[in-house]
Amino acid sequence: MISTGQPKLNIMELFFTQQGIPDWFVTNKLPLFNREGQPIGIMGSVQSYEGRKQVMQPYLQLDKAVNYIRQHFRTGVTISELAELVHLSPRQLHRKFVETFGSSPQAFIMKLRIQAACEALQHEDRQISEVAMEMGFCDQSSFTQQFQKHVGLTPMRYQRQFRLRAG
């Protein structure tokens, strides 16, 4: 690894625990470089496979819902649809989203819509009303209100600022 300078990530290795029991661990080995960019050492991390699984579990449980949101956020996503998809009640889904992502499913969807709108507004030929409809807002007014709440600027000011920086 020092000779190539390439990291080795997510290596499954068998180690003995403090109790002397063999257990699986996930290791990462990363090169350390000097100022000239030459590899001079190795740094690593070790995490219990079971511990890693527990950390990932909340994300895995909501994975189907998140993928569904990514595919359908423009057309509208209901909490009932999401809850049914991941076999939870709407209240359980809400609680799991807040625990995992720090926001409700509705807020998660809105953030995704606003991020996509920012991307769309960066194209010179895009009209604000067109972007609003494309992102699933019922009208330009509600889009402007939500955009300003999340970004701190109106869509028009955002578009102008982006064009000034790009130009």
Side-chain angles (χ1 to χ4, degrees):
M1 180 165 127
I2 282 189
S3 62
T4 66
Q6 297 298 311
K8 292 187 177 186
L9 306 173
N10 298 313
I11 305 163
M12 291 294 295
E13 297 186 81
L14 192 62
F15 294 126
F16 288 91
T17 65
Q18 290 177 340
Q19 295 80 22
I21 301 167
D23 199 1
W24 288 103
F25 288 83
V26 180
T27 64
N28 293 303
K29 297 173 184 177
L30 305 157
L32 295 173
F33 299 97
N34 64 15
R35 290 187 180 160
E36 289 77 40
Q38 302 297 316
I40 57 169
I42 298 173
M43 142 178 118
S45 67
V46 178
Q47 185 179 24
S48 135
Y49 176 74
E50 284 302 315
R52 189 173 190 179
K53 221 167 66 174
Q54 287 176 352
V55 167
M56 290 300 294
Q57 192 57 40
Y59 297 98
L60 296 174
Q61 187 174 19
L62 295 174
D63 188 50
K64 279 185 181 178
V66 170
N67 285 331
Y68 187 83
I69 289 169
R70 282 188 185 136
Q71 294 170 2
H72 299 94
F73 72 92
R74 288 179 174 93
T75 58
V77 176
T78 68
I79 302 309
S80 303
E81 284 176 296
L82 293 175
E84 190 175 316
L85 190 65
V86 294
H87 310 291
L88 295 171
S89 73
R91 290 186 80 189
Q92 289 171 317
L93 176 72
H94 185 273
R95 192 170 42 252
K96 292 270 184 207
F97 251 83
V98 171
E99 287 171 7
T100 305
F101 299 111
S103 67
S104 69
Q106 297 92 334
F108 187 89
I109 293 166
M110 185 58 68
K111 285 178 188 174
L112 187 56
R113 284 174 148 182
I114 298 299
Q115 287 174 346
C118 287
E119 182 74 27
L121 289 169
Q122 293 175 14
H123 298 12
E124 287 185 33
D125 60 334
R126 302 304 302 271
Q127 297 294 316
I128 293 168
S129 59
E130 179 185 322
V131 172
M133 294 301 142
E134 185 182 310
M135 296 305 144
F137 290 90
C138 57
D139 58 33
Q140 186 174 335
S141 175
S142 63
F143 170 62
T144 298
Q145 184 180 16
Q146 287 298 319
F147 193 92
Q148 188 163 13
K149 178 180 171 186
H150 287 86
V151 178
L153 300 169
T154 65
M156 184 177 286
R157 290 190 89 186
Y158 177 85
Q159 203 172 41
R160 283 183 187 152
Q161 271 192 347
F162 183 79
R163 287 181 183 157
L164 286 174
R165 278 191 227 137

